[in-house]
Amino acid sequence: MFEDLRFPVIAAPMAGGPTTPELVAAVTAAGGFGFLAGGYLSADALSDRIVKTAELTGEPFGVNLFVPGGAAGADLGAHIERWRAEAERHGVEPGEPRWDDDAYAAKLEVVLERKVPVVSFTFGTPSPEDVERLHANGSKVAVTVTDPGEADQAVAVGADALVVQGFEAGAHRGIFADEPGSEGGGAQYGVLSLLRLVSARTALPLVATGGLVHGADVAAVLAAGAVAAQLGTAFLRADEAGTQPAHRRALADGGRPTAFTRAFSGRPARSLVNRVVADFTATAPSAYPEVNNLTKPIRAAAGKAGDPEIMSLYAGQTYELAGSGPAASIVERLEAEAREAATRLSRLR
C-alpha cells in the first residue's frame, strides 16, 4: 500500500480547509502519497473533491473519514454563553450545538462508488462489514490509533494498515473515546514510543505521524519500523494548502506554544495557544461534534476578519520548524534531509 512509494511521505488529511485536491496531487507527483480530508464535508462535496483530485493526478490517493460516536451528555450551557459573546463581536449567530454523524454512511458510499484506493478512518474503527465492503471493492483500509489497545481493535476489524499517532500531532487526537477528565482525552504516547509498542503487537504496516516536519523525523520513524511518515503541519504553509491567511501568519510568526483544547470542537485537539485556548480550555466540555457545530460559524467569521485569537490554529508541537513554498519543494527538502540523516547512521557500522 505505502511500501512502494518513491519517497515514503504522506500528506495527512487536514479537515476544515488546509487539505485541497491541489495539495494531494502535488505531493503524489513528488513521489509521496496524499489523503483527502472527508471530515466536515457533505457527501457531494467529497465526491467533487475526489473527482478533482483524480483529474489532477494519475497516481493513487486516499480519503479519510471520521467515525461517528454517540451524542454527548455534557452540559454545554456555560460554553454556549461564552461563545455567544464572541459571536456578537463578529456579528454572527452561534451554530446549533447538535449531534450529527458527519454524513458517514453517505460518504462511505461515495468512496465505494469512486473506488478510492485507500480509505482511512479517524475517531474509531469502521465496522467489520464496512471493511469487508471496502475490501471487496478493491480498497485498502487504514485506521488511526493513539494507544496499543486501539491498535488491537483496528486489527480485529480487518484493517490493512495502522496510522500510529503520537501526542505531538497537531489538530484532533484520533482517540476512539474521549475521557473528559484527561487533558488529552486518554493516554498520551510519543510517536516513537507508540510505534515500538504497536509494532510489538502486530505485523501490519505502520504509518507514523505526530510532530514530523523534518526529513530527519522521517528517517527516525522509518528506522523505528514505520513504512511511511504522515505529515500535516509540514504542509500547512504549502502554496497548494487551503490554510487561512491568519493561520499562516501565526505559524510563520512562531512564538506561540501549543496545547490540547476542547474549546473549538469538544474533542482534544492541539492548537497554537490564543485567547480562546487560554481562557476557554479549562471549562470546555467533552461534546463532539456539538461544540464543533456551535463554534463553526464564529470561527469562520474570525478567519474572514483575520482574527487569530478566535480561530482554531491547529498545529503540531514542532510547527516552528516547518517551511513554506510549493509542496513539491517541501517534499524535495524532506527527502534531502532524510538522506542526510541516513548517512549519519553509517557510524553505527
Side-chain angles (χ1 to χ4, degrees):
M1 181 169 25
F2 303 120
E3 295 90 332
D4 296 330
L5 295 177
R6 188 185 65 74
F7 180 52
V9 157
I10 297 169
M14 296 179 284
T19 293
T20 63
E22 291 79 9
L23 178 61
V24 171
V27 173
T28 59
F33 188 90
F35 274 103
L36 285 174
Y40 310 139
L41 298 178
S42 68
D44 287 343
L46 175 59
S47 182
D48 290 344
R49 293 195 183 195
I50 293 171
V51 171
K52 178 68 177 296
T53 306
E55 292 173 348
L56 294 172
T57 177
E59 300 297 325
F61 59 90
V63 168
N64 176 259
L65 300 180
F66 289 168
V67 177
D75 180 3
L76 274 64
H79 202 59
I80 291 172
E81 291 308 309
R82 300 193 78 172
W83 275 103
R84 191 181 303 281
E86 301 300 336
E88 291 175 358
R89 288 182 60 245
H90 284 282
V92 297
E93 288 294 322
E96 180 185 353
R98 59 181 175 80
W99 179 89
D100 63 63
D101 66 357
D102 200 42
Y104 175 80
K107 286 189 276 195
L108 183 65
E109 295 303 320
V110 167
V111 297
L112 286 163
E113 179 185 355
R114 296 296 179 186
K115 295 188 179 296
V116 175
V118 183
V119 183
S120 69
F121 295 85
T122 300
F123 301 155
T125 66
S127 69
E129 293 76 20
D130 287 344
V131 173
E132 289 179 7
R133 292 183 68 201
L134 287 163
H135 284 165
N137 204 49
S139 299
K140 297 292 187 181
V141 173
V143 176
T144 302
V145 300
T146 65
D147 66 43
E150 291 176 351
D152 291 343
Q153 293 179 56
V155 171
V157 299
D160 301 293
L162 306 179
V163 180
V164 178
Q165 184 194 52
F167 67 77
E168 306 95 334
H172 287 104
R173 299 196 71 203
I175 50 176
F176 291 7
D178 180 16
E179 299 173 11
S182 169
E183 174 193 48
Q188 297 182 31
Y189 293 90
V191 62
L192 288 176
S193 298
L194 185 58
L195 187 61
R196 297 308 304 146
L197 288 169
V198 173
S199 66
R201 305 166 81 98
T202 178
L204 286 182
L206 306 180
V207 174
T209 190
L212 312 178
V213 299
H214 192 280
D217 303 333
V218 177
V221 297
L222 294 179
V227 298
Q230 180 170 283
L231 285 62
T233 301
F235 293 108
L236 276 173
R237 292 168 59 208
D239 293 350
E240 298 87 348
T243 311
Q244 294 192 46
H247 193 174
R248 286 179 182 269
R249 288 193 294 272
L251 293 167
D253 291 345
R256 295 180 188 252
T258 68
F260 286 129
T261 185
R262 294 181 177 86
F264 298 113
S265 73
R267 256 185 174 270
R270 186 176 294 281
S271 172
L272 304 187
V273 175
N274 57 11
R275 183 163 60 82
V276 165
V277 175
D279 295 347
F280 291 21
T281 295
T283 57
S286 172
Y288 176 89
E290 291 89 339
V291 171
N292 190 73
N293 289 328
L294 165 72
T295 67
K296 185 176 180 179
I298 310 168
R299 289 182 284 127
K304 290 180 180 178
D307 182 358
E309 298 307 318
I310 309 300
M311 299 170 61
S312 48
L313 304 174
Y314 292 151
Q317 282 188 320
T318 51
Y319 76 94
E320 291 175 287
L321 302 178
S324 60
S329 68
I330 294 173
V331 174
E332 183 179 356
R333 172 181 58 80
L334 290 166
E335 186 170 5
E337 292 167 347
R339 292 187 184 283
E340 181 182 354
T343 62
R344 292 198 292 270
L345 295 177
S346 62
R347 71 183 195 177
L348 296 177
R349 295 175 183 171

